[in-house]
Every structure is written in C-alpha cells, then in structure tokens.
Amino acid sequence: MVYDKQSGSGFGPHAGKEWKSAMSEQCNHDCGSCSAANCGSRTNPQSMLEAPNDLSSIKKVIGVVSGKGGVGKSLVTSMLAVLLNRRGHHTAILDADITGPSIPKAFGLKEKAVGNGMGILPCRTKTGIDVMSVNLLLEDESAPVIWRGPILAGTVKQFWTDVIWEDVDFMFVDMPPGTGDVPLTVFQSIPLDGIIVVTSPQELVSMIVAKAVNMAEMMNVPIIGLVENMSYAQCPDCGKKFSVFGESHVDQIAEKHGLKVLAKLPIDPDVAKNVDAGLAELVEASWLEDAADVVEKL
C-alpha cells in the first residue's frame, strides 16, 4: 500500500474505483447486511414479512416480550388471551418460546396437533382459544429441544406460515426472552400490530427492559405498553401490600421511554396454582383488564 500525498490516504489516486471494484467482486447481493452506503448496485430493502397460511384469517397480532426470563411473560400472554376470549373475541396463542414452551401446560393441553394437506391445525382449549406450541408436536413434552438458532427461528416462522389460524381476532405471540434469533425472526417475519413488554420490580431490570424497548424501536414495531409482574404481595387479612422484590421502577422506565404502564400484577398463589394445574381459563383476576381494554381498541 502506497501513501498518496494528493489524497492524504493510504491508497492511490484511484482508490475509490479500486475499492468499489473489490466490493463488487465480493458482493453477495445481500444489501441488508452490507455497509457500503454508496454502492451503485444497492437495491431498496425488501420486506421480510411472511404471508400466513392461505386459509388463515388473523386480524391483530400482539407480541409479548421480556428482556429476561422468569418475569411472567407466559402468564401475561395466557391471561390476556383468556380475558379477550371472555369478551367474545376469538383469541389464539402462538408459543414462540421453542426451548421453554409453557403455554400448553397452562391450559392443560395434552393432545397433539395434527395436519392435513392444507396445513397444521392448532389445538383448542376448553373455552375455544387456539394454541400452537412445539410441545404439541413432541411425543414427550418433557423432551428437551436442542436446536440451533436458525432451526428455532425457522420453526417459529412455520407456526405462522403453515398453521391454519381460522377467524382469529387477537393472536398473542409468547416470545422467548432477550433479543436473539427468535425475537428477531418474529419482528421481521410476522406483521405485529404492537408488543407488550413484561418486567419485574428489580432495579437491574430497567436496563434489560431498555434493550427490549430499543430493539422494538429499531425494528419499527409499536410498543403498546409495559406490564410489571410480581409487583407486590398483598396480605389476605389486612390488605397491606409488601414490595417483595423491592420498590417498583416501572413508572420511571415508562416515563423515560414515553410508554404506558398497562398493569401491575401482584404475587398471587391462587393464580400460580391454577396455571400450574392447567386451569388458566378459570383464573379470576382484574389486574389486566385495563391492558385488555388497550389491546381491544387497537
């Protein structure tokens, strides 16, 4: 490499042409992963959204996300589906947490999903909520799913493209925690009408929530609001509330990002007992009613 006094760079006078030529030879025609902003061969970015099954009809799709695991994302997903189902809407849940599926257990689903020449049929709960999860395809529901990222992402995509979702008013996508392959695939492949971010009171979570919020903003996905789970425990005798995991920070997080706090859920042993027993549809709790109102008005 020769230092060129005229251009003040470590390239010759024709460095620009040489660089473009080299880039042209190395081009893989994937403009989305290329940093060459001035490339003459650059094409406009193409939509990566996947079309659902030809027989599907889905009006609204809401993703339920979290920056970390164990904050109650699947509980919020289940309860929102149950609440809107009680209001007369046909709801569905796409369980995108392939390595940690919990939706079938929450609803007591034991049968396996079946398919025909037109696609895969989701399982239906006792009150009529359609569900698709990897555990509805495995012979042994306790068998671990030891797949790499691309296969996980491809499976989630197939739950959207190959499953026949009939007359669904509201679909909830229960996503795995974090900002990895599967959440990215959902954001890019499924036309989300918005996401709900689930968090917990710990101060550390504020940073993790920010990652999830920032990812949604980068992907141009609307954020419906925040739900704080395990916000407090309430004494059944005196009604006093105790901040078991410390004082809540969700209001500050919401204000920082210009978001709404949709709900603050308490620690309730009865709710946990019903969900663990597969009786999520029997849970009577009003904490998510306001969140359901917001979703219903989308």
Side-chain angles (χ1 to χ4, degrees):
M1 182 179 297
V2 179
Y3 181 81
D4 180 56
K5 293 181 180 179
Q6 184 177 359
S7 64
S9 68
F11 299 92
H14 304 292
K17 293 181 179 179
E18 293 168 358
W19 179 80
K20 289 181 181 178
S21 176
M23 290 301 294
S24 176
E25 292 175 1
Q26 298 173 14
C27 180
N28 62 1
H29 304 290
D30 181 9
C31 297
S33 64
C34 179
S35 61
N38 296 321
C39 175
S41 300
R42 176 174 287 278
T43 59
N44 292 327
Q46 300 297 311
S47 172
M48 298 177 68
L49 292 176
E50 295 284 346
N53 188 288
D54 290 339
L55 299 180
S56 291
S57 174
I58 309 159
K59 293 179 181 177
K60 297 293 180 182
V61 185
I62 298 92
V64 182
V65 309
S66 65
K68 64 187 295 294
V71 297
K73 177 176 42 57
S74 296
L75 172 66
V76 172
T77 301
S78 301
M79 291 299 94
L80 285 174
V82 168
L83 285 173
L84 287 167
N85 181 62
R86 288 175 182 169
R87 296 183 182 189
H89 302 290
H90 182 199
T91 60
I93 300 176
L94 190 161
D95 189 355
D97 195 350
I98 305 299
T99 59
S102 54
I103 296 298
K105 180 175 175 58
F107 288 93
L109 291 173
K110 298 294 184 181
E111 67 270 26
K112 301 304 177 186
V114 297
N116 55 35
M118 303 302 292
I120 305 170
L121 303 176
C123 292
R124 183 162 288 187
T125 69
K126 295 179 180 64
T127 62
I129 300 172
D130 287 339
V131 174
M132 176 50 65
S133 171
V134 73
N135 262 15
L136 301 176
L137 300 172
L138 300 174
E139 291 185 10
D140 181 5
E141 65 178 17
S142 64
V145 177
I146 309 175
W147 297 342
R148 294 191 182 276
I151 300 178
L152 296 174
T155 302
V156 171
K157 196 180 296 186
Q158 283 187 286
F159 284 175
W160 173 255
T161 60
D162 294 3
V163 174
I164 301 173
W165 301 100
E166 291 186 283
D167 300 320
V168 174
D169 296 313
F170 295 96
M171 171 184 284
F172 295 92
V173 182
D174 185 21
M175 291 206 265
T179 55
D181 282 344
V182 173
L184 180 60
T185 295
V186 172
F187 283 156
Q188 291 181 325
S189 304
I190 299 177
L192 296 174
D193 292 283
I195 65 167
I196 293 172
V197 182
V198 183
T199 181
S200 58
Q202 294 96 325
E203 187 172 359
L204 172 65
V205 173
S206 61
M207 176 191 67
I208 299 172
V209 169
K211 290 180 181 290
V213 170
N214 290 335
M215 179 181 185
E217 291 175 346
M218 291 172 64
M219 303 298 296
N220 294 318
V221 177
I223 303 172
I224 299 170
L226 305 179
V227 170
E228 184 178 69
N229 190 31
M230 300 178 285
S231 186
Y232 59 90
Q234 189 167 14
C235 176
D237 296 324
C238 67
K240 185 177 180 179
K241 295 181 180 180
F242 298 90
S243 300
V244 179
F245 293 107
E247 294 301 320
S248 171
H249 298 275
V250 71
D251 291 313
Q252 295 93 311
I253 297 172
E255 183 179 359
K256 180 180 178 181
H257 296 280
L259 302 174
K260 294 180 180 178
V261 177
L262 302 175
K264 294 182 181 180
L265 277 60
I267 299 171
D268 191 319
D270 289 336
V271 172
K273 182 179 179 181
N274 278 322
V275 173
D276 287 344
L279 302 173
E281 290 159 302
L282 297 183
V283 173
E284 294 291 342
S286 61
W287 311 300
L288 282 167
E289 291 287 356
D290 289 343
D293 289 341
V294 174
V295 171
E296 193 173 29
K297 293 175 181 176
L298 286 176

